[in-house]
Amino acid sequence: GKHVAQQLAEAFTNCQAVQARTIHALQAEVLGVASHSLATQLRTFVEEHRELALDRTVCHFHPRASTMSDASPTEQLPHLANRYRRRLGSDGGFSGPRLDTARADRNASGRLPVPRSRVLRKFRREFSIRELLRAMVADVNQTDPAATRRISTDLLMAWAGSTPSVGHRIFYDEAKPDQYAGLQPSEEQLAMRQPALHEVLAAEMLLSVLGPGDVEPEAGSTRTAASAAASAGLAAASVAA
């Protein structure tokens, strides 16, 4: 509550683009955490990583974007990010309210500094699916009972129980400790009362829960390749917002 209120208060001391970014981010966070839908939580998680990738892409081509003053609004990060959203559109997985806001931003109507294809390649490199999977694994595998989670372990276990190809694979496999990247399982995980995720299973979960219609492969891959990569823990996909 206090954290959300503070973020909103700080946002409303800035321009409308910052306000919109903050509102969309907080709305997604609240909906994701409060949701009783694993799909909603995963989409929120992916969207956060997409936004971070976009910011890194913008800052690559505009190194001073994060420090520009209000005297040059078109060169500030929030407005530049909106410009890139408008130009990349569905090829970057951008849609919905965020894209609508970007299109309404009068300070985001400029051209890209380099060819669109180059920006898209950079964005796809920044939107690392391997890093996304690692972040999912780190969230689920927290061993502190009081830890703040973005992905509900109860919903995750319910999904596993209703997915025959997963079932007990959602729990820690003592015969394959290497696949958990150094995880020291808790007593709850060893007793199969809490899940233990690894990258291969995280990739399968993304493709299974979000569905093939929500998965868009990175440049140079296909949906078939994305599905095959999932079994190797390297799902080359971005999930549309």
Side-chain angles (χ1 to χ4, degrees):
K2 183 182 292 186
H3 169 68
V4 171
Q6 182 178 0
Q7 284 189 284
L8 280 174
E10 291 176 355
F12 278 88
T13 65
N14 286 290
C15 64
Q16 289 184 339
V18 172
Q19 295 171 21
R21 278 167 61 98
T22 303
I23 290 171
H24 288 315
L26 290 176
Q27 181 184 45
E29 181 176 341
V30 171
L31 287 175
V33 172
S35 172
H36 294 293
S37 164
L38 182 59
T40 298
Q41 293 184 354
L42 291 179
R43 285 194 180 94
T44 299
F45 200 91
V46 172
E47 180 64 16
E48 291 174 358
H49 282 263
R50 188 195 316 280
E51 289 299 307
L52 291 173
L54 179 63
D55 284 351
R56 290 193 297 271
T57 300
V58 171
C59 288
H60 173 79
F61 293 109
H62 306 265
R64 298 176 57 196
S66 62
T67 61
M68 294 299 290
S69 70
D70 291 341
S72 303
T74 60
E75 297 303 313
Q76 291 179 310
L77 179 58
H79 297 294
L80 285 170
N82 278 341
R83 182 191 305 178
Y84 279 57
R85 282 191 194 90
R86 291 168 66 162
R87 297 299 183 183
L88 297 182
S90 60
D91 286 339
F94 299 107
S95 62
R98 288 181 187 271
L99 184 56
D100 292 340
T101 298
R103 288 170 173 161
D105 184 354
R106 64 186 183 187
N107 289 309
S109 59
R111 300 172 64 87
L112 296 174
V114 297
R116 181 178 180 275
S117 58
R118 181 177 167 189
V119 174
L120 193 55
R121 285 197 301 271
K122 176 61 178 175
F123 172 74
R124 284 171 166 160
R125 286 196 296 269
E126 291 295 336
F127 189 26
S128 166
I129 301 306
R130 170 56 69 83
E131 292 304 317
L132 172 64
L133 296 177
R134 287 175 175 168
M136 290 172 56
V137 168
D139 183 83
V140 170
N141 287 356
Q142 296 178 92
T143 56
D144 183 353
T148 300
R149 299 181 184 276
R150 307 305 304 277
I151 300 172
S152 166
T153 54
D154 289 337
L155 290 177
L156 185 56
M157 288 190 290
W159 165 75
S162 64
T163 307
S165 63
V166 178
H168 280 76
R169 292 172 58 216
I170 199 66
F171 298 116
Y172 186 79
D173 187 346
E174 295 184 70
K176 300 177 181 178
D178 292 345
Q179 69 184 351
Y180 298 98
L183 172 68
Q184 297 296 318
S186 66
E187 291 184 7
E188 293 288 296
Q189 288 169 327
L190 288 172
M192 296 195 297
R193 290 191 292 267
Q194 287 293 322
L197 201 60
H198 51 80
E199 288 182 32
V200 173
L201 196 51
E204 288 183 38
M205 178 172 64
L206 272 182
L207 292 171
S208 171
V209 175
L210 295 180
D214 287 330
V215 179
E216 175 184 308
E218 290 179 347
S221 65
T222 64
R223 292 190 189 283
T224 301
S227 298
S231 64
L234 298 171
S238 66
V239 183

